[in-house]
Structure formats: C-alpha cells, structure tokens
Amino acid sequence: MNKTPTLLLVEDEAPAVFAIEKYLTNAGFSVLTAFSAQEGLKTALESRPDAIILDVMMPAESGLDILPELRADSWGQDAKVIVFSNLSDDKHKALANKYNVDGYLIKTDTSLKDLENAIKQLLPKK
Amino acid sequence: MTIDLENLPIGAFFEDVSGAIKSCNKLYLKTLGINNGNSPRSWREMIDLEDEMSTQKEWNEATNDKKSKHIKCRLKKPNGNIIRVDIRANPLLDKSGNLQGYTGTLIDITNQAMFEELLERFKKAVEKTDSQIIFTDAEGIVVFANDAVEKLTGFTSGEIVGTKAGKLWGGLMDAEYYTKLWQKIKIEKLPFDAEIINKKKNGETYFAQINITPVLDSKGEVEFFVGIERDITYFKEMDRVKNEFISITSHQLRTPLSSIKWLCELFWNGDLKGLSNDQKEIMQKVQNENDRLIKLVNSLLNISRIESDKIVITPILTNIPQLVDKVLDDFKELIKSKKQTVEIKFPVGTPQLFLDTKLVGEALSNLISNAHKYTPEGGRLWVKGKVIGNELIISVTDNGIGIPVNDQHRIFEKFFRAENALLKQTNGSGLGLYFVKWVTESQGGRVWFESTENVGTTFYLAFPITHKN
C-alpha cells in the first residue's frame, strides 16, 4: 500500500485553511497546517512533508522569509514548495524563484482542483 | 547757415508761446495726417484723451521753467487712428531771455512702441511664469534663467548663468538618459520631452517634466536651446499614493475573494442531494458574482501596475492560434449558453511571435469577452489571423450591438464605457480595452477597430513579425 502523501499548508487565513485543508484531505492527502511562517518552518523541518503550500503575506514574517533557512537545511534544500499567494507582482515572484520554488500560484486565479493538480505534478508518480 | 526743415528726415515744427504752429515741414503734416493751411493744427490739440491731462501738465511745467521738453504720448489723427509720437522741443528765447516759442521734432514711434511693449510682455511672461525656463547657447551653457528656476532649485540666476545646463541641479539620471537627450536636441535637432529627477541646492530631489527645444538659425544650425521644466513632484506623489492604495486594497480584497471561491468549490464537490434547484441557483449566483469581483480586482491591479511601471514584459515564442484556442476554451460554456457560434481562422504556418503570452492572452480574453457580452443570443463571433507585410493581424469580430459613433473616440480610455454598453450590461469596468491597448502597444503592436451600431464590431491587433521561426 502506498503511503498517503503529507502536505504542509502554511497559511494564516482561517477560512482559506478550512477550505484548502478540507479539499485536499478529501482528495486523499494528509494535511498539516501552520498559521505563521516560523511555525511553518519548524513543522516542515520536523515533519518533512512531501510538499509545502506556502502563503506569502502573513503576520510577523512573510512566507518567503523562511525560504533561505529552509533551503539551507539538508532535507529542506530539495523540499517541494508551491508558493500560494495573492501577491502577483514580479518582485515577489522573482524572490521566490531565487529559492527554486516549484510553483507560484495566484490564489484568486487558482481553483482547489488546480492546486491539487499542481501538487500531484510534483509528487513522484505512483 | 540756415537749415531747411524740409530736408529733415523727421517731422519738425516751430510754435509760438500760444502754441500756434508758425512753421512746419511736410513730414510733420504727413505724420499727423493733416493739411497745410494758413495755420496747421498743433500736435497739442490732437493729444489722445487718455494722455491729455498728463501730457499737458508735463508741457506746462516745462514751459514755466523755459526748459527743453521730451514727451511721449498718443495722438489721435483726423481719421481716428491713434499713433504714438516722440516729441522733443527746445525753447526759443529772445536776447532778454523772454520765451518766444518752441522749435521741435516729432517722430511716429507707433511700431517701435508696440514692439517694445510686446517685447516687455514676453520678457515678463518668461520671467514671471510658474514654469522654470532657461535659455542656453548652442553648447548648453546657460545664458538666462527665470525667477521660477531660483524658486524651485534654490540656485540664483547669478549662480546658474554661465554653467552648463543641469550641472548644478541634474546628474541623477543614468548616463543613457543624458546621451539620448543630447542626441535628440543637438544631433537630430528635435525637441526632447521627458520626465526627470533633479536635485535642489539643499540636496532635496524633485520630479520634473522637461521640454528642451533647439532653436535653429536660417542655416538650420542650433542657435540656442530653450528649456522648460515643470515641477511634478506633487502629482507623482499623488499618483504613487493612488496606485499604492489600489494595490494594497486589491490584495486585501483578494484574500476573502479567494476563500469564497474555494468554499463555493467545496460546496459543489459536497453532497448536494438535499438541495432544491432554487438553492443551487442561489449558490451558483454567489459563485458567479464572486468571480466577477475577482475579475474586477484583477483589472484594477493590472491598471495600477501599468501606471506604476511595475509590469515586466516577458516575451517568449508564442503560438497565437494555440493561445486563441486556450482563451476560447474559458468562454466555451458562456458562448454556448447564449447559443452563439465562433469561427476561428488562422493561415497554415502562422508565424510565431515573441510576445508576453500571458499578457496577450489576457488582452485577447478581454476582446472575446466583450464580443460575447455585447452580442445578442444566437450571434456570431470570428477570431481570425492574417499576415500582411511584416505584421500578424489578429481580428476579433462580432455581429453585436456595436459602438455608437459618438463614443468611438473614447473607447480606449480608462473607465470609459459606451452608452449602449451601459444599458446592455452593467457588469463592466471600462478597464478591458485600456488594458488591451497597453498590452499591444507596449510590445510594439497597434490596435484599432471598426464598428457600426447594431451591425457589429471588429477589433484588430497587429504585432510585428520580428523573429520568424
């Protein structure tokens, strides 16, 4: 039996967490959640999820702020990261790309189905 | 030796103490437009009402002192014309020192006075206007700076004159900017119009709109330059605040909008068995309205990015027919729901173009959305491509309501919506075509349209084929 893929959702907006977590759980993923960037980094390094869905604008620190530390980690350097944000400007995209993220999706332009497909693309084929 | 008055190149007269003209030359008569008679009219009888009091006073004062007189005044000729004259007169005294009269000269200075007055006005206009004006020689050395230059930059005219223009307050732009400027005004001999950042004497920077015009001599060589600068710091700041406001607001709006979008999606993925058709319809409308808001916010964000130069164009090799298929795919259901038909026609081997695929896709999406929205049920849409010369011309045609002639000249304006469009569809932002124009022109393309009300509209996008592949 294949292991259920684990995802880490780093997102501070409760309604968004509710919808994404529920949808991805229904789609067969195990979903961990973190409500801040630092909590996200800690959970990621401890739990080593198969992919991280990372919001940008969060209180205290932005999601992009934890990328240098994540990439400096021996596991974290190859961790799959999808940035999931409503910041669609080139400056943030360029910053994310500097840390080799695996995707940058704009929330309002992305359905949960699109998100699921993007995650599946990243995970090893069964 | 006696002097013949007739040979003088100016009007000359002799008048007695009472002011009666005892003798005069022809030029005196000609200047005043009067005939010679036994007693020609005195110029003093012809003083224009407006100058009468002051001139008479001046004359009488001088007469009492038996002094020479120099008077400038306006005279009214018998034909009603007003002329300006310069009169100089010397007292004629007898041996006992009694005043016998005056000998004088009279010159028509109407043209000269008008010219001087005009010149004075020009000078005042240049000196006192709110815009900064400088004149430089052909090498760019300042020869004149008006009051506003001092007011804005803090440098006095004395400090500026004699220096190279911009030496004191410029130098903040990159070298390429100044090379371009000099190339334009000195080599191409054309005006240069652009925004610039300069600095004041106190080190503070400011935004300005500058226009530098080369003034050419009869041989076509630069004689001097006129530079006009207008401080636009305030407008720039207002613009920045506005764009930042739109940007922040839009991002804040996008957060709940995306949550609603996903919650709707979750809803439709859940168990719908217990729901009535009415309830489903209500939910569908919630979702549609949310999608509308998302589109509006995205449009606003695009506009604020265009206006703050934050959109980076990333050209990649783009297959336009494929892009059109992809865009039309999003409209499939909508077009079907209005029973409209779409015809797509691109020539085999349509050249691929280096364009920002995403931006051009959004522009095409706006055109197709309009064609769909403003065409009634059962209508037809065409999306075609054609290579003409060195351009690929994409056209989006519909047989819809068309654009009223009176509205056509404003159709690409931001927030503008045609009158018949407003009546037909309330859900438009007036930002779509503004965006289309920007996307097209920022990538070297052209955009135009043909439209007849109640017949239909065609929008054309022409992109240069620069890299055939």
Side-chain angles (χ1 to χ4, degrees):
Chain A
M1 202 179 90
N2 282 312
K3 180 181 157 278
T4 309
T6 305
L7 305 175
L8 169 61
L9 173 62
V10 188
E11 167 68 63
D12 63 315
E13 282 285 326
V17 174
F18 172 82
I20 300 168
E21 186 184 11
K22 200 170 180 68
Y23 183 95
L24 292 176
T25 307
N26 289 344
F29 295 97
S30 164
V31 183
L32 304 170
T33 53
F35 283 82
S36 71
Q38 270 312 315
E39 190 191 338
L41 178 66
K42 190 166 163 271
T43 314
L45 297 179
E46 279 169 12
S47 312
R48 301 189 169 186
D50 296 292
I52 302 167
I53 303 156
L54 183 63
D55 183 24
V56 176
M57 268 171 98
M58 284 183 286
E61 258 181 305
S62 108
L64 300 181
D65 289 339
I66 61 167
L67 287 175
E69 212 173 318
L70 180 75
R71 288 310 191 209
D73 179 78
S74 59
W75 168 81
Q77 63 181 341
D78 297 319
K80 304 285 183 202
V81 177
I82 291 177
V83 176
F84 200 34
S85 168
N86 271 322
L87 293 168
S88 48
D89 56 289
D90 296 293
K91 199 178 81 187
H92 284 93
K93 284 182 190 168
L95 192 59
N97 283 331
K98 211 176 114 186
Y99 294 103
N100 293 321
V101 298
D102 302 275
Y104 195 121
L105 297 176
I106 307 304
K107 286 176 175 173
T108 49
D109 302 344
T110 308
S111 67
L112 294 171
K113 181 80 190 157
D114 294 335
L115 177 65
E116 181 194 347
N117 289 339
I119 295 163
K120 281 182 175 164
Q121 289 278 323
L122 289 183
L123 300 182
K125 302 281 175 288
K126 284 179 187 173
Chain B
M1 194 181 98
T2 55
I3 296 169
D4 184 359
L5 288 183
E6 289 307 330
N7 288 334
L8 288 176
I10 50 178
F13 60 89
F14 164 58
E15 62 176 63
D16 64 16
V17 278
S18 72
I21 299 292
K22 292 297 171 191
S23 168
C24 67
N25 66 358
K26 276 185 193 149
L27 215 49
Y28 173 87
L29 300 169
K30 198 181 164 195
T31 305
L32 298 183
I34 52 176
N35 296 321
N36 198 359
N38 288 339
S39 174
R41 280 179 75 185
S42 160
W43 61 271
R44 277 199 273 158
E45 296 165 19
M46 296 169 71
I47 299 169
D48 186 54
L49 269 178
E50 286 197 40
D51 288 351
E52 198 171 8
M53 295 271 282
S54 57
T55 309
Q56 291 290 11
K57 192 169 163 242
E58 213 177 318
W59 180 267
N60 289 339
E61 277 169 10
T63 307
N64 293 339
D65 297 340
K66 299 171 189 168
K67 277 182 178 168
S68 296
K69 305 166 194 286
H70 182 197
I71 283 171
K72 282 183 183 179
C73 66
R74 278 171 284 194
L75 303 184
K76 191 171 184 181
K77 289 163 74 168
N79 65 5
N81 287 352
I82 307 281
I83 57 167
R84 284 174 185 275
V85 289
D86 179 292
I87 294 164
R88 286 167 199 267
N90 286 326
L92 207 62
L93 306 175
D94 63 13
K95 281 176 187 162
S96 329
N98 296 321
L99 187 66
Q100 298 299 303
Y102 275 90
T103 55
T105 59
L106 177 143
I107 310 170
D108 183 348
I109 56 163
T110 311
N111 288 340
Q112 189 194 338
M114 271 169 59
F115 180 72
E116 276 170 10
E117 207 171 87
L118 195 64
L119 205 63
E120 189 56 30
R121 280 194 191 154
F122 269 120
K123 200 171 152 238
K124 263 192 195 155
V126 171
E127 273 171 359
K128 302 298 173 197
T129 181
D130 225 24
S131 297
Q132 292 80 50
I133 299 178
I134 62 167
F135 299 158
T136 77
D137 66 13
E139 297 312 312
I141 304 296
V142 179
V143 293
F144 168 86
N146 72 352
D147 296 355
V149 176
E150 179 172 350
K151 214 167 109 191
L152 176 67
T153 64
F155 293 105
T156 63
S157 177
E159 287 171 304
I160 295 168
V161 171
T163 63
K164 183 106 176 167
K167 187 185 170 218
L168 295 173
W169 61 87
L172 297 185
M173 309 298 283
D174 54 26
E176 195 192 345
Y177 181 94
Y178 298 106
T179 311
K180 235 190 215 169
L181 185 159
W182 200 240
Q183 163 79 22
K184 188 96 179 171
I185 61 172
K186 183 78 178 173
I187 314 295
E188 294 172 35
K189 297 169 189 165
L190 291 170
F192 178 83
D193 222 331
E195 285 181 8
I196 194 168
I197 300 171
N198 282 335
K199 62 172 185 292
K200 301 181 181 186
K201 193 176 181 180
N202 64 10
E204 202 179 297
T205 57
Y206 64 92
F207 281 96
Q209 177 74 40
I210 58 164
N211 172 285
I212 303 172
T213 305
V215 178
L216 309 181
D217 62 18
S218 57
K219 289 177 203 146
E221 294 303 321
V222 175
E223 195 176 339
F224 62 99
F225 294 107
V226 180
I228 302 176
E229 189 178 289
R230 209 163 53 86
D231 183 6
I232 55 165
T233 311
Y234 174 77
F235 301 103
K236 275 287 196 197
E237 181 58 14
M238 281 296 106
D239 226 35
R240 192 191 62 75
V241 170
K242 182 198 76 186
N243 283 326
E244 203 172 280
F245 172 77
I246 293 178
S247 180
I248 291 172
T249 314
S250 302
H251 284 129
Q252 296 304 326
L253 284 171
R254 273 174 141 191
T255 301
L257 287 173
S258 42
S259 293
I260 297 170
K261 180 187 168 85
W262 301 327
L263 290 167
C264 288
E265 197 180 343
L266 267 186
F267 177 86
W268 293 116
N269 280 350
D271 182 5
L272 306 173
K273 261 182 259 152
L275 293 176
S276 69
N277 283 341
D278 264 5
Q279 285 170 316
K280 285 183 196 168
E281 201 183 328
I282 290 166
M283 198 57 199
Q284 187 59 55
K285 285 192 191 305
V286 170
Q287 189 174 18
N288 292 349
E289 291 304 287
N290 190 60
D291 285 344
R292 235 178 87 185
L293 256 179
I294 289 176
K295 272 192 191 155
L296 178 61
V297 169
N298 285 349
S299 297
L300 278 171
L301 261 179
N302 274 337
I303 301 309
S304 90
R305 266 190 225 133
I306 287 174
E307 298 199 338
S308 51
D309 289 330
K310 277 190 185 152
I311 291 195
V312 178
I313 295 167
T314 318
I316 54 167
L317 204 56
T318 303
N319 183 319
I320 297 286
Q322 272 178 18
L323 182 62
V324 167
D325 280 343
K326 193 166 159 267
V327 171
L328 274 169
D329 220 40
D330 293 337
F331 289 93
K332 230 170 31 196
E333 289 305 312
L334 286 169
I335 287 170
K336 209 170 118 193
S337 71
K338 272 179 96 175
K339 300 187 183 67
Q340 293 167 333
T341 54
V342 187
E343 193 183 311
I344 308 163
K345 203 172 159 190
F346 279 86
V348 180
T350 297
Q352 299 193 40
L353 306 178
F354 271 95
L355 294 172
D356 187 309
T357 313
K358 192 166 170 276
L359 290 176
V360 174
E362 280 179 49
L364 285 170
S365 173
N366 286 353
L367 292 179
I368 291 166
S369 169
N370 282 350
H372 155 72
K373 267 199 295 195
Y374 303 117
T375 299
E377 275 210 15
R380 298 183 68 185
L381 277 57
W382 295 263
V383 184
K384 293 182 186 173
K386 208 175 190 177
V387 175
I388 297 178
N390 195 36
E391 283 179 321
L392 174 66
I393 297 172
I394 308 161
S395 61
V396 178
T397 304
D398 64 61
N399 61 350
I401 61 172
I403 306 163
V405 176
N406 287 342
D407 288 340
Q408 292 192 356
H409 67 289
R410 298 189 59 193
I411 209 70
F412 290 110
E413 275 177 29
K414 199 172 28 173
F415 297 114
F416 180 78
R417 298 192 64 212
E419 206 175 305
N420 58 346
L422 279 167
L423 288 173
K424 199 92 191 159
Q425 281 273 351
T426 47
N427 64 342
S429 60
L431 296 171
L433 291 175
Y434 175 81
F435 182 74
V436 169
K437 186 172 158 70
W438 181 84
V439 167
T440 313
E441 291 179 352
S442 64
Q443 298 183 76
R446 299 183 293 130
V447 58
W448 71 99
F449 67 94
E450 288 162 0
S451 185
T452 307
E453 206 172 352
N454 299 319
V455 175
T457 303
T458 300
F459 274 91
Y460 299 93
L461 306 183
F463 289 106
I465 305 166
T466 46
H467 300 270
K468 281 201 176 180
N469 200 326

